[in-house]
Amino acid sequence: MLAPGRVALLVCPQCPDLGCGQLTTALDLGTTEVTWSDFRWENGFTEPSPVEHLTAPITFDRAGYEAVFADACERVAEFPYDELAHHGRRFRWPWQWGWRLPGR
């Protein structure tokens, strides 16, 4: 679980588990600006470590920031997802591999 005031920017593509590692930031919502600062790699097991190349805060205009996220759920829902294309046409479940259980 992330500390209060922190949000995840990058998460594991397979699951949202903190144990896989996440890039997090402190989120400050001002009246006219939104700021991301204190970037860290976190995994929930070790002490969070600062990100070497992300030391300066990033500031956004709050109205523009909110406008970008206003329809985010709808845009993500429209992403095409084809499991065969995602895993490749050769993707098979374990029971499709052709192996057999040992005889009794």
Side-chain angles (χ1 to χ4, degrees):
M1 182 168 204
L2 296 177
R6 297 199 65 79
V7 295
L9 297 178
L10 293 174
V11 299
C12 172
Q14 300 296 319
C15 68
D17 186 10
L18 179 60
C20 291
Q22 296 181 355
L23 172 63
T24 68
T25 187
L27 178 66
D28 179 36
L29 297 172
T31 54
T32 60
E33 295 180 335
V34 174
T35 304
W36 293 354
S37 61
D38 188 24
F39 297 92
R40 298 181 192 169
W41 287 111
E42 299 192 45
N43 65 14
F45 303 112
T46 60
E47 194 66 29
S49 59
V51 179
E52 188 175 309
H53 302 290
L54 291 173
T55 55
I58 300 173
T59 303
F60 306 92
D61 170 69
R62 181 156 181 175
Y65 187 88
E66 290 177 351
V68 167
F69 287 104
D71 64 344
C73 289
E74 291 84 11
R75 287 187 287 142
V76 170
E78 291 174 0
F79 285 172
Y81 183 78
D82 176 0
E83 186 171 350
L84 291 176
H86 179 71
H87 291 286
R89 295 281 171 207
R90 295 175 32 174
F91 174 77
R92 293 185 177 178
W93 295 103
W95 57 84
Q96 296 172 319
W97 293 345
W99 49 265
R100 298 172 193 216
L101 294 174
R104 293 184 187 220

